Amino acid sequence: GINAEYGEFQTFQHYFKQINLSMAAYKPEKGVPVDEVTSHRIRITLTSRNLKSLEKVCTDLIMGAKQKELHVTGPVRLPNKNLKITTRKTPCGEGSKTWDRFEMKIHKRVIDLKSPSETVKQITSISIEPGVEVEVTIADS
């Protein structure tokens, strides 16, 4: 049985040892530099009050990253911040007690990239819509 299925291997352990050794060829060894260009984990955080312009900047960033064949995760949609202010309509305090309710929604998106920092400068150099704040943080992988 066993020799017929697995060739020259005597037991299952020998077979799986050979598989593990062949798979080890694909893993980089510790202490050995793989590439001279080090890739970083880069997190781009986008915030805006205008949802359309925020989504447009997100799609532009992701299209630019995919053209450079980078590993892209996102955009992750974080919960909106709803800022509410309730105030009296009348400035003097007289008259019927009517109230105004104002609300401002702040939308937030997070995009994660894995790339060298030079290419991120090229990607983020696209024209960013007014009202969209871009924050780039770099963490070593």
Side-chain angles (χ1 to χ4, degrees), residues 23-40:
M23 293 300 286
Y26 297 106
K27 295 179 187 173
E29 295 179 25
K30 291 182 181 174
V32 177
V34 179
D35 285 344
E36 281 157 35
V37 178
T38 57
S39 67
H40 301 287

Side-chain angles (χ1 to χ4, degrees), residues 51-61 126-127 129:
L51 184 61
K52 274 189 178 179
S53 60
L54 179 71
E55 289 291 334
K56 184 179 182 310
V57 172
C58 275
T59 53
D60 289 348
L61 280 173
I126 62 162
S127 62
E129 302 266 323

Side-chain angles (χ1 to χ4, degrees), residues 129-140:
E129 302 266 323
V132 178
E133 293 181 30
V134 178
E135 182 183 327
V136 179
T137 56
I138 298 175
D140 291 331

